Amino acid sequence: MKNTLKRVLALVLVIACVVPFVACAKPKLDLEKAKANLEEAEYTVTVREEPNTGVEATLYAVKDLLSGDETKSLTIIKCETAKMAKLAYQAKKLDIEQQIEDAKLQIKTIKYMLNKFEDDLSSEEIAEGEDEIKELKEEIEELKEELKTMGRSGKYVWYGDKEAIKASK
């Protein structure tokens, strides 16, 4: 009995030490402080109050990067209740997962079309299909990364880029 208790206690201790290092990034949840920190990091920040909607306030932050049309962004939603936050989190997660499944289906369709009608397609059309597959695979990777950077804590839900989350602190 003592050995079992020691093993369980050791396991709990190991888990307690490891979880903080593998948990997803968490932004500053005080919207005013997060807004100030993001503005200091040159993000354009908007906070919208939304009374009587289930959502108390939403913070939107975006930063256009000089290297092309890439942007970094963060959205933090403060819900009226933890239950509402859980539902909002689940809805956003399902939306992203659905986008991933849609992109996978598009890839399958393009591959099928390329294989089935290869003889009837020009080399330009084949190249376009292959480029589309490449773009869809990149989109899937971006969406998977977005799933990793979203989270929920109490009445708050957030999603965005790691850099924006870090800048909010």
Side-chain angles (χ1 to χ4, degrees):
M1 181 70 174
K2 286 183 181 181
N3 285 338
T4 305
L5 184 58
K6 285 180 185 178
R7 287 181 182 157
V8 170
L9 190 57
L11 181 62
V12 169
L13 184 61
V14 168
I15 291 171
C17 291
V18 172
V19 167
F21 296 110
V22 296
C24 65
K26 182 176 176 181
K28 185 75 163 177
L29 296 180
D30 180 323
L31 297 185
E32 291 305 314
K33 289 181 182 177
K35 179 181 178 187
N37 293 342
L38 287 161
E39 286 175 339
E40 188 175 308
E42 299 179 355
Y43 283 78
T44 303
V45 183
T46 305
V47 177
R48 242 182 36 207
E49 302 287 327
E50 302 178 47
N52 302 322
T53 63
V55 174
E56 288 182 24
T58 304
L59 177 144
Y60 301 99
V62 66
K63 181 178 185 178
D64 292 323
L65 301 179
L66 299 176
S67 60
D69 54 334
E70 189 179 350
T71 61
K72 298 294 178 190
S73 64
L74 173 64
T75 301
I76 303 173
I77 303 167
K78 182 179 181 185
C79 297
E80 292 178 357
T81 64
K83 178 72 173 174
M84 184 65 186
K86 182 179 179 181
L87 294 170
Y89 174 80
Q90 290 172 338
K92 180 65 177 174
K93 185 177 176 190
L94 283 172
D95 179 49
I96 294 170
E97 289 170 345
Q98 182 61 45
Q99 289 178 50
I100 291 170
E101 290 304 313
D102 183 52
K104 287 179 180 179
L105 183 59
Q106 288 181 43
I107 289 171
K108 284 181 182 180
T109 302
I110 294 168
K111 284 182 177 180
Y112 174 79
M113 297 296 285
L114 290 175
N115 290 332
K116 178 76 174 169
F117 302 106
E118 183 177 14
D119 296 337
D120 298 332
L121 297 172
S122 68
S123 59
E124 184 178 296
E125 290 171 324
I126 292 172
E128 286 176 9
E130 290 170 349
D131 288 344
E132 182 69 21
I133 289 171
K134 183 180 174 185
E135 289 174 16
L136 287 166
K137 286 181 177 180
E138 289 172 2
E139 181 181 332
I140 289 171
E141 290 307 311
E142 289 173 8
L143 289 166
K144 285 181 178 179
E145 195 61 35
E146 191 174 335
L147 276 176
K148 292 178 186 175
T149 58
M150 66 181 296
R152 179 181 72 87
S153 179
K155 297 188 327 183
Y156 293 89
V157 176
W158 64 87
Y159 51 92
D161 299 294
K162 288 179 185 176
E163 295 84 0
I165 291 170
K166 186 177 179 182
S168 73
K169 297 178 182 180

